[in-house]
Amino acid sequence: MKILEFDLDKKLVIQNQQELSDMIRVAFYKENPSLFQKLTYENDNIFLEPTLFHYFSIDKGYINRVSLEQATYGYLQKELIVSPIGLYSDRFGMVNLPNIGYLKIEPNTKVILNNIENDNAFISHDGHTFIKYPIIKNNFIKQTRIRLCFHPTDLLTERFNTSFVESVQDTALKFQNVIDNSFDIFHDISSDFIEMIKLTSRELVVFNSASQYSLAALTYYGVGFLNVVDLNRTEVFFVDDIAHQCGHVLYHALTLHSENYLRISKETPLKEFTNISGESRTVYGTFHGLFTYTTIIYILDKCLDNHIFKNIEKHEAIGRLGFYMEKFQKDLVHMNDNRILTSQGFEFYEMFLNGYNNIKKKYSSVLPSLDYSNQPYLFSYDLFQTKNQNSLSVI
């Protein structure tokens, strides 16, 4: 499929995602061969479980709060389950049981799970007196098997020590309808792109924090993390950020072998080539940016072509598109460097550049007049309105 002018190789994505699952298989077998033998070897869903990517990617000395037993309990056939097992709850009291759902108990607590029967879990604090707790069933985004997470994951809480305005469950439920509507938009205007998102993304964590950006990471592969930052977010924001964060997940799979595209280590700081003070990104992170600018602009352009948004929301969509075009242009300059990109990397670069040029030409009557001088790192529509009231008449 094409995203703007970028030819997305679905076969390569599938091949590399298979390699990722095999990497987890090998690591799992080395760590716990007896538990590994109880799992269905051919089931990639097990070995693409995001919790396992975190488990096997953490630094030495880090204590895993979610054990392999907890991470895979829901994937075992009932007759192969050896109970009891230890479970950990997070700071909001949520116990994540992948492929089953959640338990809600006391925060930051270790308990013992005896068994699960009829959507109830029997747990104990002392290993003797077991109390029945109802399972909170998994909540999937409309028309997908992408789970809407009710837990912040150890990536946010343990690695980044993120502070939250409210529990992730509360945030997820607050925005569930608008998220479903946003995925409907994807299905309506770009069935190919949403199928690629559904192929590579397993979970969506929607959270509210003043201390952490939205993100996606190979160390928690399959998950997009969307920060609503305590605002009344509409479909415009979610269409943008889903294309952005799930785009990162997709590009992690596509460029799994970064050495094919980069002449240097993927962790090399970009500032070694730009000498821009305050630049904190790596060359691989910037390479990712060229792809996610492409996915965001692609979906916003499709929305505008299909008249998905009206009035203020249309104005916001145009504002966001222009905002990313400015960032896109700057990073195209940064990455046009044969010290950074291989010949294959430049093949990608040319497709990114062609997509940028086509959109620049298509919106040539609107984009030059937009003022982004008051914008922070992340787009703010409120600030955009203060500088761009005149462009309301253009739409």
Side-chain angles (χ1 to χ4, degrees):
M1 69 160 294
K2 269 196 172 185
I3 303 176
L4 296 186
E5 293 301 312
F6 186 85
D7 285 311
L8 183 60
D9 188 340
K10 182 177 180 179
K11 289 183 179 179
L12 182 59
V13 171
I14 293 171
Q15 174 185 312
N16 287 349
Q17 187 161 260
Q18 179 65 55
E19 186 172 340
L20 282 168
S21 69
D22 287 341
M23 289 166 55
I24 296 297
R25 282 182 177 87
V26 171
F28 200 120
Y29 179 76
K30 290 179 178 179
E31 177 88 7
N32 193 328
S34 61
L35 180 58
F36 177 84
Q37 290 170 0
K38 296 175 182 177
L39 299 170
T40 304
Y41 180 85
E42 301 81 8
N43 187 352
D44 282 335
N45 282 334
I46 299 173
F47 300 102
L48 290 172
E49 164 56 44
T51 308
L52 294 180
F53 281 87
H54 184 260
Y55 183 95
F56 290 113
S57 67
I58 60 171
D59 300 329
K60 290 182 179 179
Y62 177 93
I63 299 174
N64 269 302
R65 290 180 62 81
V66 177
S67 65
L68 289 180
E69 288 79 7
Q70 179 174 337
T72 56
Y73 186 92
Y75 294 105
L76 291 171
Q77 298 179 33
K78 190 170 183 179
E79 61 271 17
L80 297 178
I81 293 175
V82 177
S83 295
I85 66 165
L87 304 177
Y88 281 97
S89 66
D90 63 28
R91 66 177 69 175
F92 299 113
M94 300 300 289
V95 176
N96 178 29
L97 286 168
N99 211 39
I100 294 176
Y102 296 97
L103 300 177
K104 184 68 177 288
I105 61 172
E106 298 83 1
N108 298 316
T109 302
K110 181 178 181 179
V111 295
I112 305 299
L113 172 66
N114 187 49
N115 68 318
I116 294 177
E117 292 182 0
N118 301 322
D119 295 329
N120 291 294
F122 294 84
I123 67 171
S124 168
H125 289 78
D126 58 11
H128 300 290
T129 304
F130 288 91
I131 302 172
K132 182 170 67 174
Y133 284 78
I135 297 289
I136 301 172
K137 293 185 178 180
N138 283 326
N139 192 318
F140 295 98
I141 295 166
K142 187 179 177 183
Q143 298 189 65
T144 79
R145 293 298 293 173
I146 300 173
R147 182 169 73 153
L148 185 59
C149 287
F150 287 172
H151 72 296
T153 77
D154 281 356
L155 183 69
L156 291 184
T157 57
E158 302 298 318
R159 280 200 171 183
F160 298 151
N161 194 28
T162 305
S163 59
F164 300 90
V165 173
E166 61 191 353
S167 76
V168 170
Q169 182 184 19
D170 287 345
T171 305
L173 292 173
K174 184 183 299 181
F175 288 98
Q176 181 171 5
N177 287 339
V178 71
I179 292 167
D180 282 341
N181 292 343
S182 301
F183 271 83
D184 282 343
I185 291 171
F186 276 87
H187 281 100
D188 290 343
I189 67 176
S190 186
S191 58
D192 288 343
F193 185 34
I194 193 62
E195 288 307 313
M196 294 304 298
I197 288 176
K198 287 155 70 172
L199 173 66
T200 51
S201 292
R202 292 278 295 270
E203 298 179 349
L204 208 64
V205 179
V206 182
F207 64 102
N208 188 336
S209 172
S211 66
Q212 176 63 52
Y213 292 141
S214 298
L215 75 150
L218 187 58
T219 54
Y220 221 101
Y221 178 73
V223 181
F225 296 82
L226 278 61
N227 184 8
V228 298
V229 201
D230 202 24
L231 294 175
N232 182 27
R233 297 300 193 177
T234 66
E235 282 87 353
V236 186
F237 164 79
F238 280 103
V239 164
D240 170 339
D241 217 20
I242 290 164
H244 187 170
Q245 307 313 329
C246 293
H248 275 305
V249 176
L250 175 55
Y251 206 56
H252 275 304
L254 184 67
T255 60
L256 178 62
H257 293 285
S258 61
E259 66 275 10
N260 291 337
Y261 311 98
L262 303 176
R263 294 185 180 278
I264 52 181
S265 166
K266 63 192 292 185
E267 300 303 326
T268 304
L270 179 64
K271 66 182 178 182
E272 291 186 10
F273 301 91
T274 63
N275 295 318
I276 297 174
S277 61
E279 176 60 74
S280 60
R281 293 174 299 170
T282 64
V283 293
Y284 185 57
T286 311
F287 192 46
H288 257 255
L290 296 181
F291 182 74
T292 55
Y293 298 144
T294 298
T295 58
I296 297 166
I297 292 167
Y298 165 79
I299 204 67
L300 290 173
D301 174 54
K302 295 282 282 185
C303 286
L304 292 167
D305 276 351
N306 286 273
H307 309 290
I308 299 298
F309 302 125
K310 309 294 183 185
N311 303 320
I312 293 297
E313 288 191 348
K314 182 179 179 182
H315 191 231
E316 180 179 349
I318 290 173
R320 287 179 177 275
L321 186 147
F323 177 78
Y324 290 111
M325 283 291 285
E326 287 205 347
K327 288 177 172 286
F328 202 174
Q329 187 273 331
K330 291 175 183 177
D331 281 353
L332 283 166
V333 173
H334 295 330
M335 293 299 287
N336 188 17
D337 193 326
N338 58 19
R339 296 172 298 172
I340 298 176
L341 296 178
T342 66
S343 59
Q344 282 185 265
F346 271 111
E347 288 177 10
F348 278 22
Y349 178 90
E350 289 300 320
M351 291 188 285
F352 294 138
L353 177 62
N354 290 338
Y356 168 84
N357 284 333
N358 286 348
I359 292 294
K360 181 180 179 181
K361 181 179 179 181
K362 182 174 181 178
Y363 292 90
S364 60
S365 65
V366 178
L367 297 186
S369 65
L370 300 181
D371 185 346
Y372 293 98
S373 60
N374 64 344
Q375 286 291 323
Y377 179 74
L378 299 177
F379 179 79
S380 165
Y381 181 57
D382 288 342
L383 292 176
F384 179 76
Q385 283 180 302
T386 66
K387 291 283 188 178
N388 296 275
Q389 280 296 320
N390 290 339
S391 63
L392 275 169
S393 60
V394 176
I395 68 170

